[in-house]
Amino acid sequence: MGCITIKRRTEVKKEEIRPLLDSSEESLLAKYNDQARSVQSVEATVDLVPSTGSTYSGVIEEYHDVTGFILAQRPATVRIIGQAPVVAKNIFDMVSDGKEFRIYIPSKNAFLVGPTTLTRPSNKPIENLRPNHIVEALFWPQLTPLKDVLFEQFDFEAGRYYILTLLRELDGGKLEIARNVWYDRANLTVSRVQTYGAAGMLDSDIGYSDWEAAGTTPAAGSAPGAAQISYPRDIKIWRPQDDYKLEIHILKLTLNEPIAADRFVLEQPDGTDLVHVGEETAGTQR
């Protein structure tokens, strides 16, 4: 009996090959600063998808996504409202002026007040979310061209990147990492920003994707030839020290329109419990 050979043919769809764009340290730094200068205010309708926990703790706690509204004005003023689906009932309302945060949580009848610099961890990581964490993702600080910048090309299966690593100088002249800015070489947009605290500890890891046109620069206005602004529609925040993640999917976006100051005012509702976060005694910590 002759041998029977069975051949199985599988069609593999060839991925689109995107040419890599070239750039330089100076050009990428200038591009970053142009983007930082171009965004002065943000008004957005969003989907917020928070989650907490880590593989290190062995516990991943997922929270349902909620519809949200974000108002933000440079340098650090922000208001974020989260609403339950369908009923449009507020789950939380939080504001910050860059120095103090104020958070109203109706389900707990609680009104929380504290300094934005507070790092007190909660046993419920989602309670570590602070308005200033979102401000950091929305508004980038301008970076001064310094000698303490490293330029790297980084390639791996998921993509090809340029990375700018910015260093800060400590007392005694020692250098430590301050920020990594990743650029996707397919389009030279910023895809990731990592910020570091003392001793190289990763404070935040923020991903950016789905960049789209979003108007013109404030200075240019609607003048002919005005510079166009692009803005990411998906922002993913990871705060490893606070043990939470937050995805922000922007559904509707307005940039650089004036926002009235009273829209950032959040007063304590009558009958709510006032909690000065960080001042609770050990027996009453949330």
Side-chain angles (χ1 to χ4, degrees), residues 135-194:
V135 168
E136 177 183 297
L138 298 177
F139 297 137
W140 300 344
Q142 291 190 53
L143 305 178
T144 304
L146 298 172
K147 62 179 180 180
D148 300 326
V149 178
L150 304 179
F151 184 52
E152 176 186 359
Q153 297 185 39
F154 186 79
D155 299 347
F156 68 116
E157 290 183 359
R160 306 291 187 267
Y161 300 89
Y162 284 127
I163 305 174
L164 290 183
T165 297
L166 291 96
L167 307 176
R168 57 172 163 257
E169 186 172 348
L170 306 178
D171 293 339
K174 183 179 179 180
L175 298 176
E176 71 175 12
I177 187 170
R179 178 179 295 253
N180 279 335
V181 183
W182 296 59
Y183 297 82
D184 187 340
R185 290 193 60 193
N187 49 29
L188 296 183
T189 59
V190 171
S191 62
R192 186 180 187 185
V193 174
Q194 298 166 298

Side-chain angles (χ1 to χ4, degrees), residues 198-270:
M201 180 176 291
L202 180 63
D203 284 340
S204 67
D205 193 340
I206 307 170
Y208 299 93
S209 60
D210 195 15
W211 287 78
E212 295 182 7
T216 56
T217 60
S222 57
Q228 291 293 316
I229 308 171
S230 60
Y231 203 80
R233 294 313 196 264
D234 285 298
I235 302 174
K236 297 180 180 180
I237 302 170
W238 177 37
R239 302 280 306 188
Q241 309 310 318
D242 300 308
D243 203 20
Y244 81 80
K245 296 179 181 180
L246 178 67
E247 296 183 22
I248 302 174
H249 305 296
I250 297 178
L251 308 176
K252 183 178 179 182
L253 176 67
T254 301
L255 296 181
N256 300 327
E257 290 295 327
I259 302 176
D262 61 2
R263 298 184 71 185
F264 295 107
V265 175
L266 178 60
E267 301 291 351
Q268 181 184 357
D270 292 339

Side-chain angles (χ1 to χ4, degrees), residues 13-283:
K13 184 178 180 181
K14 185 177 181 180
E15 294 183 0
E16 180 183 358
I17 300 176
R18 298 183 297 174
L20 301 181
L21 301 180
D22 294 323
S23 192
S24 65
E25 173 188 322
E26 293 77 11
S27 178
L28 293 175
L29 194 58
K31 183 179 178 69
Y32 175 98
N33 281 332
D34 285 344
Q35 178 69 24
R37 283 190 295 267
S38 70
V39 181
Q40 298 298 315
S41 71
V42 173
E43 188 167 356
T45 302
V46 300
D47 274 341
L48 301 173
V49 186
S51 63
T52 67
S54 69
T55 54
Y56 298 103
S57 65
V59 177
I60 299 292
E61 186 176 1
E62 297 292 343
Y63 290 76
H64 294 297
D65 60 308
V66 298
T67 298
F69 304 94
I70 296 176
L71 300 174
Q73 185 87 44
R74 275 193 186 271
T77 306
V78 66
R79 184 170 192 172
I80 306 108
I81 299 173
Q83 293 187 336
V86 183
V87 295
K89 183 178 180 180
N90 284 5
I91 299 173
F92 64 82
D93 190 345
M94 60 175 68
V95 301
S96 175
D97 60 4
K99 297 179 181 179
E100 178 187 74
F101 66 81
R102 301 161 69 85
I103 304 174
Y104 173 43
I105 306 177
S107 63
K108 296 185 177 182
N109 198 41
F111 192 80
L112 287 66
V113 178
T116 58
T117 55
L118 180 70
T119 57
R120 182 217 69 175
S122 169
N123 58 0
K124 294 184 178 180
I126 201 62
E127 294 182 1
N128 293 326
L129 192 156
R130 299 282 182 263
N132 53 298
H133 296 168
I134 295 178
V135 168
E136 177 183 297
L138 298 177
F139 297 137
W140 300 344
Q142 291 190 53
L143 305 178
T144 304
L146 298 172
K147 62 179 180 180
D148 300 326
V149 178
L150 304 179
F151 184 52
E152 176 186 359
Q153 297 185 39
F154 186 79
D155 299 347
F156 68 116
E157 290 183 359
R160 306 291 187 267
Y161 300 89
Y162 284 127
I163 305 174
L164 290 183
T165 297
L166 291 96
L167 307 176
R168 57 172 163 257
E169 186 172 348
L170 306 178
D171 293 339
K174 183 179 179 180
L175 298 176
E176 71 175 12
I177 187 170
R179 178 179 295 253
N180 279 335
V181 183
W182 296 59
Y183 297 82
D184 187 340
R185 290 193 60 193
N187 49 29
L188 296 183
T189 59
V190 171
S191 62
R192 186 180 187 185
V193 174
Q194 298 166 298
T195 63
Y196 296 83
M201 180 176 291
L202 180 63
D203 284 340
S204 67
D205 193 340
I206 307 170
Y208 299 93
S209 60
D210 195 15
W211 287 78
E212 295 182 7
T216 56
T217 60
S222 57
Q228 291 293 316
I229 308 171
S230 60
Y231 203 80
R233 294 313 196 264
D234 285 298
I235 302 174
K236 297 180 180 180
I237 302 170
W238 177 37
R239 302 280 306 188
Q241 309 310 318
D242 300 308
D243 203 20
Y244 81 80
K245 296 179 181 180
L246 178 67
E247 296 183 22
I248 302 174
H249 305 296
I250 297 178
L251 308 176
K252 183 178 179 182
L253 176 67
T254 301
L255 296 181
N256 300 327
E257 290 295 327
I259 302 176
D262 61 2
R263 298 184 71 185
F264 295 107
V265 175
L266 178 60
E267 301 291 351
Q268 181 184 357
D270 292 339
T272 57
D273 298 325
L274 177 62
V275 179
H276 290 280
V277 183
E279 297 181 5
E280 308 95 322
T281 63

